[in-house]
């Protein structure tokens, strides 16, 4: 996706934000320090796994409430249009979030106002523990835009993804919102509390996995070690950043 | 006169120190009178003129000229790119407003009433209020959520709730509630200029009321500081805190109490979060008695917080228990006689003040 975009384009996603953050220029140390709640974390240890941001690369998080990032992403697209920036916003969400009402509210507004918003549904066919056929009457997520066009893309094919993103960017700048449904697979469980094996078999998982991990393992181990050396935030940090302009109310 | 000297120290405030007489008579007869509606409209106009990043969004704010005419004339002046009529989808358009604020624009989102803000409350709290903290200062959210709050008249339970206590309990938000035209101008301008999310609670029944305003208030650079209450009327015997419409009721109660020799000090909170604890406590240390007044539900309300603050900081100074006047603990009824009973009236404030001053039999303890 990054190959098709520039840093002027905005990306916003759900809590599954670690890789997006790195793709937008975040360092591994910032990732692991944040996960361990340390000062060198991208949110100085105050956000956590679900709240990575990198505003200088137009990456706006990092959101814990399922579906909330879609209206926020349309808001970013609105602002880009307002400022005449000739750039687009990619708002990523999962098949679980695709049923959210606020998503349809935003397709409506984005289409009405011709916002340069690309809604990217990363369809891994499970919403936490619920398979898509049990959650969605119509799992053809790319078709659910009704008046907004949609494309279905094989997310396992990097070149296909790049083509789709390039196309969508041009389309959105001229015509308004478009949906990209990225067909993919989830290796691990939904989160720390989900082993990922209660609703599918182990064989299903290993059949899909690849060997990319071995190469980057060393780089990751270094970053993790560095992160663990990093200090935890100062106690005074508990009360900072509540406001941009505190008016002396912070202790 | 601790409270007065504190107000004087404020750097930002353009106000002159006013004599402690009823505020309706403290200016010369040449003072201009404007309605709260005109005050809000002119503030929006001036802030939009001064900063191209400010834009308005909400239901009927454009072509309809505003459901309550607060945004009248602004579409014609600033165009449809800056005054946006939205579909009736609060969750959707509030999310758009917050996203635009992430990017650096300054949206003013109107809720036709704050009852409808509940549809969007996830974006107000989780997307707006908490972002600066979760991002350790990277993502600030310079947005204003404004609209009428609390009871109107005869609109029933789903259209009458006061949200001051709910929003004011959330760190990361600032919550303001104007009473008169000066408050409306100064606080709205401050809210729009502020880099943090501000919930701006107006009152439908006050929109049409006129108040005198000085030339300073009418100047386009005027603003009031956030987090500072105003002593509307000085007194020595009992402190009455209130916000929005209840300030008017408290002032009327004070005039009635005057006749019985009770000198009430009326504090217009203006800012629910941050709450001006120092002004309130200084006043209670002077008068030794406190009545809190609000329209909203009593449990976990604004009065409960003020009472706690005073107990924590000024317990030794209290000569009587703190009294809370609030709306009745029921959903707002429709019938006019029941509605009257469900909302505080001037007589309720007078009775409570007399109880606090030991002028009447105390309330029997209820279960």
């Amino acid at each position: 996706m990054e190959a098709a975009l520039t840093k002027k384009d905005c990306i916003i996603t759900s809590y599954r934000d670690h890789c997006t953050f790195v793709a937008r220029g975040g360092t591994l140390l910032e990732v692991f320090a944040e996960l361990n709640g340390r000062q060198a974390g991208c949110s100085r240890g105050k956000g956590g796994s679900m709240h990575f941001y990198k505003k200088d690369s137009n990456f706006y998080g990092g959101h814990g409430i399922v579906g909330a990032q879609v209206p926020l992403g349309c808001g970013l697209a609105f602002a880009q249009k307002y400022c005449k920036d000739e750039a687009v916003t990619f708002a990523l969400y999962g098949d679980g979030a695709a049923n959210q009402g606020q998503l349809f509210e935003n397709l409506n507004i984005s289409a009405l106002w011709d916002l340069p918003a690309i809604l990217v549904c990363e369809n891994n066919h499970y919403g936490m523990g619920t398979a898509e056929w049990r959650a969605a009457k119509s799992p053809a997520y790319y078709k659910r835009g009704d008046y907004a066009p949609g494309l279905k893309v094989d997310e396992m094919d990097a070149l296909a993804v790049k083509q789709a993103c390039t196309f969508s960017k041009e389309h959105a700048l001229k015509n308004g919102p478009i949906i990209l449904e990225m067909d993919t697979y989830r290796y691990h469980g939904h989160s720390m509390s989900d082993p990922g094996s209660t609703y599918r078999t182990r064989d299903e998982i290993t059949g899909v996995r690849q060997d990319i991990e071995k190469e980057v393992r060393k780089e990751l181990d270094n970053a993790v070690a560095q992160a663990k050396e990093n200090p935890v935030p100062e106690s005074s940090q508990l009360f900072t950043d509540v406001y941009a302009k505190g008016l002396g109310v912070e202790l | 006169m601790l409270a007065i000297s504190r107000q004087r120290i404020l750097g930002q405030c353009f106000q002159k120190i006013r004599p402690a007489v009823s505020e309706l008579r403290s200016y010369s007869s040449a003072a201009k009178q404007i309605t709260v509606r005109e005050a809000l409209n002119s503030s929006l106009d001036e802030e939009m003129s001064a900063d191209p990043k400010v834009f308005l969004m909400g239901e009927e704010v454009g072509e309809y000229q505003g459901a309550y005419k607060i945004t009248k004339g602004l579409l014609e002046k600033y165009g449809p790119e800056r005054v946006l009529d939205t579909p009736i989808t609060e969750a959707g358009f509030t999310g758009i407003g917050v996203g635009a604020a992430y990017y650096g624009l300054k949206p003013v989102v109107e809720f036709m009433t704050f009852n409808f803000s509940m549809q969007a409350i996830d974006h107000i709290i989780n997307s707006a209020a908490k972002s600066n903290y979760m991002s350790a200062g990277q993502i600030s959210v310079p947005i204003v959520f404004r609209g009428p709050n609390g009871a109107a008249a005869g609109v029933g339970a789903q259209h009458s709730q006061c949200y001051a206590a709910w929003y004011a309990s959330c760190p990361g938000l600032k919550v303001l509630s104007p009473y008169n035209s000066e408050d409306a101008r100064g606080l709205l301008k401050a809210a729009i200029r502020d880099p943090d999310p501000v919930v701006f609670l107006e009152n439908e029944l006050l929109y049409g009321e006129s108040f005198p305003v000085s030339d300073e208030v009418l100047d386009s650079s005027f603003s009031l500081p956030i987090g500072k209450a105003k002593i509307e009327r000085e007194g020595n015997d009992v402190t009455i805190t209130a916000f929005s419409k209840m300030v008017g009721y408290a002032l009327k109660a004070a005039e009635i109490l005057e006749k019985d020799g009770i000198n009430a000090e009326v504090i217009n909170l203006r800012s629910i979060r941050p709450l001006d604890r120092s002004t309130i406590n200084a006043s209670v240390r002077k008068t030794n008695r406190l009545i809190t007044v609000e329209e909203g539900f009593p449990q976990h309300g604004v009065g409960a917080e003020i009472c706690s603050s005073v107990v924590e900081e000024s317990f030794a100074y209290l000569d009587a228990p703190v009294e809370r006047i609030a709306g009745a603990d029921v959903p707002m009824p429709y019938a006019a006689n029941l509605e009257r009973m469900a909302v505080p009236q001037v007589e309720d404030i007078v009775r409570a003040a007399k109880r606090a001053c030991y002028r009447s039999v105390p309330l029997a303890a209820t279960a």
Side-chain angles (χ1 to χ4, degrees):
Chain A
M1 193 162 103
E2 285 292 349
L5 271 53
T6 70
K7 289 294 189 289
K8 273 185 71 183
D9 299 310
C10 299
I11 301 184
I12 192 168
T13 186
S14 66
Y15 40 80
R16 210 176 294 289
D17 54 353
H18 304 176
C19 295
T20 320
F21 171 74
V22 172
R24 286 260 111 174
T27 67
L28 289 176
L29 172 61
E30 282 174 313
V31 171
F32 290 111
E34 188 63 32
L35 293 175
N36 282 285
R38 308 296 169 117
Q39 276 182 27
C42 52
S43 299
R44 302 217 300 272
K46 288 166 70 165
S49 171
M50 297 187 282
H51 304 295
F52 288 11
Y53 307 85
K54 197 159 168 55
K55 190 167 180 184
D56 55 21
S57 307
N58 276 320
F59 173 52
Y60 290 89
H63 294 273
I65 307 297
V66 170
Q69 72 273 25
V70 176
L72 297 171
C74 295
L76 293 168
F78 173 89
Q80 288 172 311
K81 187 173 175 180
Y82 188 100
C83 298
K84 302 183 170 33
D85 280 349
E86 291 299 305
V88 300
T89 296
F90 280 75
L92 280 57
Y93 59 98
D95 50 294
N99 302 309
Q100 278 262 317
Q102 55 188 323
L103 196 147
F104 294 95
E105 292 185 15
N106 274 275
L107 270 171
N108 181 44
I109 299 181
S110 304
L112 261 180
W113 294 353
D114 290 314
L115 302 183
I118 296 133
L119 275 60
V120 182
C121 177
E122 294 186 276
N123 185 5
N124 62 15
H125 307 282
Y126 290 93
M128 189 148 170
T130 304
E132 68 179 351
W133 55 269
R134 289 179 63 225
K137 186 70 178 171
S138 162
Y141 299 104
Y142 69 104
K143 286 193 200 165
R144 299 223 284 181
D146 185 9
Y147 38 79
L151 283 178
K152 187 161 174 168
V153 185
D154 179 3
E155 193 174 351
M156 310 303 252
D157 178 349
L159 295 176
V161 170
K162 183 186 167 192
Q163 272 300 93
C165 291
T166 308
F167 173 81
S168 305
K169 185 173 163 170
E170 274 175 45
H171 178 97
L173 280 169
K174 284 205 293 282
N175 307 84
I178 181 169
I179 301 181
L180 289 183
E181 182 187 337
M182 305 279 198
D183 206 353
T184 183
Y185 191 77
R186 184 206 281 166
Y187 295 115
H188 296 283
H190 164 79
S191 65
M192 300 289 285
S193 38
D194 171 24
S197 45
T198 53
Y199 46 87
R200 54 189 175 169
T201 65
R202 225 158 244 301
D203 290 339
E204 185 189 314
I205 302 169
T206 52
V208 183
R209 207 163 198 146
Q210 292 175 21
D211 275 273
I212 312 170
E213 294 174 43
K214 288 192 183 132
E215 291 175 33
V216 287
R217 177 63 80 180
K218 194 154 185 283
E219 203 184 336
L220 289 169
D221 286 342
N222 278 339
V224 171
Q226 249 191 302
K228 288 188 170 166
E229 302 280 295
N230 204 258
V232 291
E234 299 281 328
S235 300
S236 59
Q237 290 288 301
L238 177 63
F239 291 107
T240 58
D241 303 311
V242 178
Y243 297 106
K245 186 173 165 187
L247 305 168
V249 294
E250 290 167 304
L251 297 172
Chain B
M1 298 287 132
L2 265 167
I4 294 278
S5 56
R6 273 215 182 84
Q7 279 185 292
R8 188 172 256 150
I9 286 162
L10 289 172
Q12 292 168 275
C13 189
F14 286 93
Q15 285 176 287
K16 294 188 196 121
I17 305 299
R18 264 179 235 103
V21 188
S22 164
E23 32 91 90
L24 289 172
R25 302 202 209 302
S26 58
Y27 304 100
S28 73
S29 52
K32 190 167 175 203
Q33 294 246 346
I34 62 171
T35 61
V36 170
R37 176 179 288 113
E38 287 163 344
L40 294 168
N41 183 274
S42 58
S43 303
L44 290 170
D45 192 351
E46 288 160 20
E47 295 305 305
M48 287 181 78
S49 174
D51 187 348
K53 296 203 290 290
V54 178
F55 70 94
L56 306 184
M57 190 159 76
E59 294 154 15
E60 312 297 358
V61 297
E63 289 186 15
Y64 196 82
Q65 306 295 314
Y68 300 99
K69 305 293 178 263
I70 306 299
T71 52
K72 187 172 176 192
L74 297 175
L75 173 64
E76 287 69 35
K77 190 166 176 184
Y78 295 102
E81 281 172 13
R82 292 185 71 192
V83 180
L84 295 127
D85 281 320
T86 62
I88 309 174
T89 52
E90 275 78 6
F93 70 72
T94 306
I96 289 198
V98 177
Y102 283 179
Y103 198 77
L105 296 185
K106 300 179 106 175
V108 179
V109 176
E110 176 175 305
F111 292 117
M112 200 179 285
T113 76
F114 265 91
N115 300 283
F116 315 134
S117 73
M118 290 200 286
Q119 302 218 306
I121 202 164
D122 178 58
H123 282 297
I124 299 172
I125 307 294
N126 281 321
S127 304
K130 298 178 183 172
S131 284
N132 199 66
Y133 191 82
M134 290 193 297
S135 68
Q138 258 193 88
I139 313 274
S140 71
V141 191
I143 192 168
V144 176
F145 303 103
R146 53 157 291 273
N149 175 58
V155 291
Q158 292 181 344
H159 287 73
S160 305
Q161 192 166 331
C162 173
Y163 291 87
W166 281 26
Y167 287 123
S169 74
C170 184
L173 285 182
K174 291 171 181 165
V175 181
L176 303 176
S177 194
Y179 161 56
N180 57 19
S181 302
E182 177 180 326
D183 289 354
R185 271 185 64 78
L187 294 175
L188 185 55
K189 280 162 159 302
I192 294 172
R193 296 175 198 174
D194 196 277
D196 290 306
V198 181
V199 170
F200 193 82
L201 304 171
E202 301 159 6
N203 186 292
E204 187 198 323
L205 299 175
L206 285 176
Y207 284 151
E209 276 199 41
S210 278
F211 296 91
V213 284
S214 68
D215 288 335
E216 271 159 341
V217 173
L218 291 171
D219 189 80
S220 63
S221 61
F222 178 65
S223 85
L224 287 172
I226 293 178
K228 292 305 295 177
K230 180 176 177 219
I231 299 187
E232 294 286 348
R233 179 192 214 280
E234 276 187 30
N236 286 297
D237 295 327
V238 60
T239 299
I240 306 177
T241 64
F243 61 95
S244 189
K245 187 147 146 285
M246 293 292 119
V247 175
Y249 282 32
L251 289 168
K252 289 198 187 97
E255 284 182 18
I256 295 171
L257 288 164
E258 186 80 60
K259 300 193 181 81
D260 279 322
I262 297 177
N263 225 295
E265 177 147 295
V266 176
I267 299 182
N268 173 5
L269 293 175
R270 286 181 164 172
S271 182
I272 318 296
R273 181 172 189 111
L275 199 56
D276 190 351
R277 295 166 205 276
S278 56
T279 296
I280 297 167
N281 277 282
S283 174
V284 173
R285 287 176 184 214
K286 182 176 72 169
T287 65
N288 311 119
R289 293 153 212 280
L290 175 62
I291 316 288
T292 68
V293 186
E294 66 197 289
E295 264 193 336
F297 299 136
Q299 190 165 337
H300 308 298
V302 175
E305 177 59 34
I306 294 176
C307 176
S308 247
S309 171
V310 164
V311 162
E312 283 165 10
E313 293 183 41
S314 310
F315 183 66
Y317 293 81
L318 283 170
D319 283 345
V322 175
E323 296 242 12
R324 280 186 295 184
I325 309 282
D329 200 23
V330 298
M332 183 67 70
Y334 172 70
N337 65 320
L338 296 180
E339 189 179 31
R340 239 193 122 264
M341 288 164 62
V343 178
Q345 302 298 334
V346 176
E347 308 88 74
D348 298 319
I349 306 173
V350 170
R351 264 203 311 277
K354 285 184 174 172
R355 277 197 301 266
C357 294
Y358 309 138
R359 302 296 185 90
S360 65
V361 179
L363 273 180
T366 50

